[in-house]
Amino acid sequence: MGLDNSVAPSSEIDSDEQSVWGLNLAEASNDSDVERLKEHIIYATLEFAVENRGQLLGFFRNRSGSDRIYAEKAFRNLTNAWRDEYCLSDPVDAGPEERMKTAEWRITMCYYALYKSASAIIRTKDDSDLSNSHQATLRKHSNQFMSSRARGLYGYPFNFAPSSGQFFDFRKPFPYFIGVENEEWIPEIRGQREEKYANHYERQMNAVYSKAKNISTWDNGRDTSTFYHVFKLLREWANYEHGGIFSRLYGPGYIKFIDRAIRLLAYSAISTAEVALICAFGIDKFGRELRYYQESCEEGVSEGAAHVADRYKIYQRALSDF
């Protein structure tokens, strides 16, 4: 769909293939493998970006100065996030038990993937010096992007509006296709499940923020509190306090959950930043920067560009007119 022309395809469904933009959107559960869940995550992000194309392009391209100044810093942060994402999946031919032997450091890599993704988004419109403070960077990201017209980019679990203290547009990966015999039931079933899941995940996120505020290092006077801040707390705990306990985890369930969670979180944050940079600089510029990155990976680990290269194929189908 859309590969042979420059016009973004519609998101009409091919019911035989159960796919949109080459993504398999058949029903998936939390027990599905990571790659299946990624397809739902990126679809949720892209669907909303296409629906809000005018608003997002207007926001991200309204800036002063040369595009080159902003693009250089933005892509520098994004390519750093790409390297962290690869590390989270390495060794790719091993299981979660092998990767989780260094769980505390992988939590750090996941945090930096989230942080650099937020930094890349900031750099689309801001070229000031933020190198000395993660807190200042996350505050600017919250106040100037997550609380603005750009907030349509952010899906679950990043969709918290710090200025109002409310969740916005509670999107999450959700199966477009539902396997039932009678197709007339599908709209009603989908509506019921969307409402059920949205309420469930909102309760979960409220519980996460409530517990975070009880941690001694949480800044109760801060006017911004996002999932990026919450994960920063986890990273600090894993690195500076009792992170070694992860090496003593028992049972495949816990190990698999952490391994999957940090990879999916990184995927969600990075794909959000990638769409933001495409909105800011266009898909052609994104493609050129990806080629430069692929060339650098060829000098070391060529597989390091595999994740973003796969996403770029989807962006070409969905965002070809951005």
Side-chain angles (χ1 to χ4, degrees), residues 239-257:
N239 282 171
Y240 305 132
E241 296 187 43
H242 305 290
I245 195 173
F246 287 110
S247 301
R248 305 210 312 264
L249 286 174
Y250 62 91
Y254 290 107
I255 293 172
K256 181 180 179 181
F257 176 79

Side-chain angles (χ1 to χ4, degrees), residues 60 63-64 66-78 115-133 136-137 140-141 144-145 273 276-277 280-281:
F60 280 103
R63 56 178 178 265
S64 59
S66 169
D67 285 0
R68 182 186 60 80
I69 297 174
Y70 298 99
E72 182 178 347
K73 292 184 178 181
F75 281 103
R76 180 178 180 180
N77 279 277
L78 184 61
Y115 173 75
K116 292 168 188 174
S117 296
S119 298
I121 294 173
I122 291 174
R123 294 308 183 188
T124 62
K125 292 172 69 74
D126 190 317
D127 63 348
S128 60
D129 182 14
L130 293 169
S131 59
N132 295 324
S133 173
T137 300
K140 181 169 292 240
H141 175 241
Q144 296 185 15
F145 292 84
L277 267 63
F281 307 112

Side-chain angles (χ1 to χ4, degrees), residues 84-101:
D84 291 329
E85 182 181 28
Y86 171 73
C87 290
L88 289 173
S89 297
D90 186 59
V92 294
D93 56 351
E97 294 81 7
E98 181 68 22
R99 287 189 291 270
M100 286 300 98
K101 288 180 180 179

